[in-house]
């Protein structure tokens, strides 16, 4: 059985830890590999390698740094099918979803190739007579990304291309549930012939995370995960004086008005709520129907969700794979049970799912709960599974109020043919990402992946210009060269 190695200082290194966790194929329950659960010692070695690499990498011209990214983009394109298969095997999502994830990651590589422009500062002559002022950007040093299981390739690529293009050196710590995608990815990194130590991969559990948060030479932390862990990471890293961006959990609402194109809305919401088995931070969790849309949408979404084929993401025709672990399956089914006890009705109940030939898999079929009370425990709990809650409002204003009361602020959407209603929603919705007739309001790579309230801690988000701001320090230079100093020449 394979033990997952680390990539430190340009070399693959074996792990000598005694405590390991199994990497499980969630569709078959097959053990794929072992990953060690410590990693603190390896973090220190990776930081040392990254620190040694930083001075020369910083002095490498941006135009030369991005040449590695151009080659990385081509390697990702050439190996997309193999990478997608690895994602599907260890995460469970369908091959189409895995390929889509990689496409969004590649977009970030493309945008980061514009660093010679994006990283530019600005200047002004004669801020006072004979005095000029210049703002320049300089890399921070050693930075780290701690990434989750649900997007093993895309989320590391929210951070990595920008960090290294700006002149930083980096350590990536993937989720111990899905370390194999980054193994494949760093196999491609090895082929780039990057200077040793510029990019490092360290596996491990909480000890590895804590080592990154505490190490004095790590200047910045990028994190994506649940809100409780995001708050822990943010507080501990900030206490160590680090720059931190933490994307947390979500409970995304869509508002469905009676004038919406109901056929298109149903398909879009179904894809959003049940795609990737609901395990994405932009998945629709709650649909708020307004007025007459209540029965129309409920009946339509139950029919659409009931047609989704559940099974192995490697099989043709499968529209939804398993959830990540047996524990996740139990937790999600318990949340559905809690919802029904609190008065909701399971108009489509996906609990107890079994797939022929995959009896050990962690499968839940799409589930729709009708009559979930606004503001109740279920409406504010992140289930992170293929469960859509339905609630009702009498007006757009009431629907916006339901969205506003939610503690999370990652994303929300409205479905309508009314420009006035859409503008009101866009203007008032207290979420960082807003969709209009869009089910997954995922920003393109040249826009920030925003998030408000309990969904984000920090000031600068991932992707685009925010990444450049996050991974650089601003230095302001104020110069005076009196004329008499030049007369000697």
């Amino acid at each position: 059985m394979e033990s997952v190695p680390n990539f430190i200082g340009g070399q693959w290194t074996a792990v000598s830890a005694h405590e390991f966790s199994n990497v499980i194929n969630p569709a078959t329950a097959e053990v794929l590999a072992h990953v060690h659960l410590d990693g603190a010692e390896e973090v220190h070695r990776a930081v040392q390698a990254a620190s040694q690499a930083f001075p020369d990498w910083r002095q490498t011209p941006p135009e030369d740094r991005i040449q590695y990214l151009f080659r990385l983009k081509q390697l990702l394109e050439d190996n997309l099918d193999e990478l997608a298969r690895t994602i599907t095997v260890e995460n469970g999502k369908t091959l189409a979803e895995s390929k889509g994830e990689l496409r969004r990651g590649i977009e970030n590589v493309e945008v980061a190739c514009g660093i010679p422009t994006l990283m530019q500062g600005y200047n002004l002559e004669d801020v006072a007579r004979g005095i000029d002022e210049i703002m320049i950007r300089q890399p921070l040093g050693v930075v780290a990304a701690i990434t989750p299981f649900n997007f093993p390739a895309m989320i590391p690529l929210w951070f990595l291309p920008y960090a290294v293009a700006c002149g930083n050196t980096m350590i990536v710590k993937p989720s111990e549930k899905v370390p194999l995608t980054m193994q494949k990815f760093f196999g491609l990194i090895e082929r780039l012939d990057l200077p040793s130590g510029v990019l490092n991969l360290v596996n491990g559990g909480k000890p590895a995370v804590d080592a990154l948060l505490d190490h004095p030479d790590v200047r910045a932390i990028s994190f994506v995960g649940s809100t409780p862990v995001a708050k822990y990471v943010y507080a501990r890293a900030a206490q160590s004086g680090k720059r931190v961006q933490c994307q947390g959990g979500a409970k995304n609402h869509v508002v469905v008005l009676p004038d919406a194109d109901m056929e298109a809305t149903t398909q879009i919401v179904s894809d959003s709520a049940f795609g990737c088995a609901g395990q994405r931070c932009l998945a629709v969790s709650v649909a708020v129907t307004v007025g007459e849309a209540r029965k129309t949408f409920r009946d339509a979404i139950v029919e659409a969700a009931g047609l989704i084929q559940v099974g192995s993401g490697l099989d043709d025709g499968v529209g939804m794979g398993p959830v990540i672990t047996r524990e996740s399956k139990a937790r999600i089914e318990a949340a559905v049970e809690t919802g029904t006890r609190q008065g909701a009705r399971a108009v489509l109940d996906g609990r107890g799912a079994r797939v022929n030939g995959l009896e050990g898999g962690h499968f839940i079929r799409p589930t729709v709960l009708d009559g979930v009370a606004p503001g109740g425990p279920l409406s504010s709990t992140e289930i992170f599974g293929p469960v859509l809650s339905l609630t009702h409002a009498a007006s757009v204003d009431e629907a916006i109020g339901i969205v506003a009361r939610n503690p999370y602020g990652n994303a929300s959407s409205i479905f309508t043919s009314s420009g006035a209603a859409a503008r009101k929603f866009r203007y008032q919705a207290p979420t960082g990402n807003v969709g209009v007739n869009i089910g997954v309001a995922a920003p393109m790579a040249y826009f920030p992946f925003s998030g408000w309230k309990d969904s984000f801690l920090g000031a600068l988000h991932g992707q685009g210009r925010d990444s450049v701001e996050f991974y650089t320090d601003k230095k302001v230079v104020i110069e005076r060269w009196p004329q008499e100093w030049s007369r000697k020449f």
Side-chain angles (χ1 to χ4, degrees), residues 206-225:
K206 186 175 182 294
V209 172
D210 287 344
L212 288 169
L213 302 183
D214 296 342
H215 200 294
D217 292 338
V218 176
R219 290 287 315 280
I221 297 286
S222 301
F223 171 84
V224 179

Side-chain angles (χ1 to χ4, degrees), residues 248-307:
K251 191 72 175 179
N252 305 312
H253 289 58
V254 296
V255 174
V256 182
L257 270 58
D259 64 357
D261 180 332
M262 205 56 66
E263 182 178 353
T265 298
T266 300
Q267 189 57 56
I268 291 169
V269 173
S270 176
D271 291 344
S272 177
F274 307 118
C276 299
Q279 298 175 124
R280 53 185 174 191
C281 58
L282 289 180
V284 171
S285 299
V286 181
V288 184
T289 54
V290 176
E292 298 173 358
R294 182 175 192 173
K295 183 178 186 305
T296 308
F297 178 77
R298 180 193 64 205
D299 294 348
I301 195 69
V302 168
E303 180 181 0
L307 295 175

Side-chain angles (χ1 to χ4, degrees), residues 118-139:
L118 293 172
M119 198 177 165
Q120 290 177 9
Y122 49 84
N123 65 283
L124 182 64
E125 291 183 326
D126 293 320
V127 295
R129 188 177 294 275
I131 299 177
D132 305 328
E133 196 159 338
I134 305 165
M135 191 283 285
I136 56 180
R137 299 184 191 277
Q138 295 183 338

Side-chain angles (χ1 to χ4, degrees), residues 390-422:
L390 303 181
T391 190
H392 183 65
S395 66
V396 174
D397 289 332
E398 183 182 346
I400 293 173
I402 291 172
V403 177
R405 288 196 298 273
N406 192 267
Y408 297 104
N410 206 38
S412 61
S413 297
I414 188 170
F415 287 85
T416 180
S417 59
S418 166

Side-chain angles (χ1 to χ4, degrees), residues 106-160:
I106 290 170
E107 285 175 12
N108 280 281
V109 178
E110 293 169 342
V111 174
C113 287
I115 281 297
T117 299
L118 293 172
M119 198 177 165
Q120 290 177 9
Y122 49 84
N123 65 283
L124 182 64
E125 291 183 326
D126 293 320
V127 295
R129 188 177 294 275
I131 299 177
D132 305 328
E133 196 159 338
I134 305 165
M135 191 283 285
I136 56 180
R137 299 184 191 277
Q138 295 183 338
L140 302 177
V142 180
V143 301
I146 303 165
T147 60
F149 77 84
N150 58 332
F151 287 95
M154 182 188 75
I155 291 179
L157 288 171
W158 279 359
F159 309 120
L160 182 152

